[in-house]
Amino acid sequence: MKKLFLLLLAICSLSVNAANKYDNPDTLFVARDGSCEFRNVQDAIEVCRAYMSYHKVIFVKNGIYKEKIVIPHWLTNVELCGENAEQTIIVWDDHANVPMQTVAGSSASGPMGTFRTYTMKVEGSDITLKNLTIENNSARRGQAVSLHTTGDRIRVIGCRLLGHQDTLFTGVENTRLLFKDCYICGTTDFIFGPSTAWFEGCLIENKSDSYVTAASTPENVKYGYVFNNCTVRAMDSSFMGQGGPTMGDALGAPKPNATKCYLGRPWRPYAYTLFMNCDLGGHIRPEGWHNWNNKDNERTARYLEYNNRGDGAATTSRAPWSRQLTKKEAKEITMKNVIGWEE
């Protein structure tokens, strides 16, 4: 009897320790039409091993994936790569005023609030998102996040982030993010949060008169948002987003024009935002920056510009509490110095 028990114990141990067939650097493939092993992006994420030391690619074929996705904090070195940024679309439609009773498994009362509305949440570190559209296409009834990040060393390359209010939430201080060659659009405060983020060569579009950024950089963090070689323009009603209309537009969503926008307002007193070498459209207000109706913010907010161009780049009427960098100061603002690596 004892020998039988030991044998069963050994078999159970072997089963528990058996290699996960996905525990390797091989690429996983996702296709909504069922032509690949996975039909849903989240299903492919779930089979990845925790704390991988190797690079794991999840390749997502063209299609519309109506999913609310979480890349959990125990996943590292994952690359989520779409086949084509304009045709590989991950979309959800929560907004801040959705009742909590409609959320699966929730018994809470009241509205959902901003921070549960994401279409995709990236908790893991060393994660790359590439060639994807991540969209929150909810009705314009409150804050609605498309991409919410909490991990460190996240790279977002060639992606389209589509939404209205609060499109991109960079959610944790002292985390470092890179957005390269991305398209980001929204209405109010559509790039917001406490992280340190470098935006390189991105196209930023205002959908209505409001604010581009609402940084909440902590006092003890040297850098917040740096936009370099970016274009900031008003969305033309005849051209709803780079690469064609969004799902929301196809359903007949409003097509507003923006004519009076601010580069930013401080969500927290020490907000840091810098636009340098950027093309700023004529919809940017002459004063450029807003104090969020609090004069005290003018003493602490770190709002900076350098070497910008375009109809919205004139400095003569800028808010006197913002600042133009000197050439010497600008030389110190490099991708390596701000986020710790270069592309």
Side-chain angles (χ1 to χ4, degrees), residues 227-229 274-280 289 303-309 313 315 323-331 333:
F227 295 84
N228 187 48
N229 296 313
L274 163 64
F275 285 85
M276 64 180 191
N277 306 311
C278 292
D279 188 345
L280 306 180
W289 308 94
Y303 282 155
L304 311 164
E305 296 176 64
Y306 176 75
N307 194 40
N308 294 315
R309 61 194 179 277
T315 62
R323 196 162 67 82
Q324 299 291 317
L325 292 183
T326 66
K327 188 174 183 179
K328 182 178 179 180
E329 289 172 324
K331 280 186 176 180
I333 311 294

Side-chain angles (χ1 to χ4, degrees), residues 28-41 44 58-65 67 83:
L28 303 178
F29 293 91
V30 183
R32 190 65 196 141
D33 63 8
S35 59
C36 295
E37 182 175 7
F38 300 96
R39 292 188 74 239
N40 299 310
V41 177
I58 300 174
F59 186 82
V60 186
K61 293 195 172 182
N62 291 342
I64 296 174
Y65 299 82
E67 300 186 53
E83 182 176 359

Side-chain angles (χ1 to χ4, degrees), residues 275-325:
F275 285 85
M276 64 180 191
N277 306 311
C278 292
D279 188 345
L280 306 180
H283 68 300
I284 299 299
R285 295 176 64 110
E287 60 268 47
W289 308 94
H290 192 274
N291 65 10
W292 209 310
N293 300 320
N294 184 346
K295 290 284 289 185
D296 288 343
N297 286 333
E298 297 181 8
R299 297 185 294 102
T300 53
R302 295 168 285 175
Y303 282 155
L304 311 164
E305 296 176 64
Y306 176 75
N307 194 40
N308 294 315
R309 61 194 179 277
D311 293 340
T315 62
T316 52
S317 298
R318 279 297 190 255
W321 45 278
S322 67
R323 196 162 67 82
Q324 299 291 317
L325 292 183

